[in-house]
Amino acid sequence: MRTASITRATKETDIAVSVALDGTGTFDISTGVGFLDHMLEQLSRHSLIDITVRAKGDTHIDFHHTAEDVGIALGQALREALADMTGITRYADCHLAMDEALTRCALDVSGRPFLVWDVTFPRDKVGDFDTELFEEFFRAFAMNAGITLNIANLTGTNCHHIAETCFKAVARCLRVAIEPDPRQAGRVPSTKGQLGG
């Protein structure tokens, strides 16, 4: 199985992340931020990546450092588990609906990180979680995973639904993109012979 474990300790956060890419979507997540836990559970279940996260952060200040650093560690774990990306499908896209909300995601497991974030929330918070932190999480994740990630919310009025469609859409794309492609026969899916840089 393609697996990786990452630890990240700073003066702001202490994080341990494990992933198993060929899993069943089993999760064990505790970040101290309830809504972030809920979104990461969606990411795991719908990508079929087993994810364990243990995070302690300076949440008495706000949730920024925890959200960003979990994104960093999770991205690093994904990158490590993918190794040289031999034989993967590489590209994926989907439209994900949840009630009134519809989000489009497209990604390229390229080794070249980039984030396009075209998502607007009608309110500043979902519960006590700042909606601006979703972009921070996905930027940290994409940059450290080495993926090109494009997320656009097309319709939606409920902030919970908008956020959840973003995480589920990314999950569904990851499920396809990291899947081994039997027709690649162990090749790196690039005419360059390698991915990244």
Side-chain angles (χ1 to χ4, degrees):
M1 290 181 65
R2 298 172 294 170
T3 62
S5 295
I6 293 290
T7 57
R8 175 181 173 82
T10 71
K11 292 182 179 179
E12 298 166 340
T13 60
D14 189 356
I15 297 169
V17 170
S18 296
V19 300
L21 303 189
D22 304 302
T24 60
T26 301
F27 52 80
D28 184 6
I29 294 168
S30 178
T31 66
V33 182
F35 197 78
L36 181 59
D37 288 357
H38 180 46
M39 294 298 99
L40 294 175
E41 290 167 0
Q42 302 303 320
L43 185 67
S44 173
R45 179 57 52 86
H46 296 284
S47 67
L48 298 182
I49 299 171
D50 295 344
I51 298 176
T52 300
V53 178
R54 289 286 177 272
K56 294 180 181 178
D58 53 2
T59 55
H60 61 287
I61 297 174
D62 66 7
F63 298 152
H64 185 284
H65 297 142
T66 299
E68 183 177 32
D69 286 8
V70 167
I72 290 170
L74 188 59
Q76 289 174 345
L78 179 68
R79 179 70 179 259
E80 183 176 314
L82 284 167
D84 66 359
M85 297 171 269
T86 298
I88 63 169
T89 301
R90 181 176 171 180
Y91 296 100
D93 64 273
C94 80
H95 286 75
L96 199 293
M98 180 177 181
D99 297 342
E100 89 297 345
L102 177 65
T103 294
R104 179 186 65 229
C105 175
L107 63 80
D108 175 12
V109 183
S110 61
R112 296 187 307 278
F114 201 86
L115 175 68
V116 175
W117 177 259
D118 186 10
V119 181
T120 302
F121 290 91
R123 295 194 316 278
D124 292 336
K125 288 183 179 288
V126 180
D128 57 356
F129 191 86
D130 295 321
T131 52
E132 68 183 7
L133 296 183
F134 294 120
E135 181 177 5
E136 297 299 324
F137 169 84
F138 281 115
R139 178 176 291 108
F141 176 70
M143 295 300 157
N144 286 275
I147 62 176
T148 301
L149 181 58
N150 189 310
I151 306 171
N153 176 245
L154 306 180
T155 65
T157 56
N158 181 296
C159 289
H160 188 133
H161 294 168
I162 293 170
E164 193 158 337
T165 57
C166 292
F167 277 83
K168 286 180 175 178
V170 171
R172 292 294 298 183
C173 285
L174 282 172
R175 178 177 172 180
V176 173
I178 68 173
E179 191 74 13
D181 180 352
R183 295 183 64 193
Q184 287 290 356
R187 297 178 303 181
V188 173
S190 171
T191 55
K192 296 177 183 177
Q194 67 179 40
L195 289 171

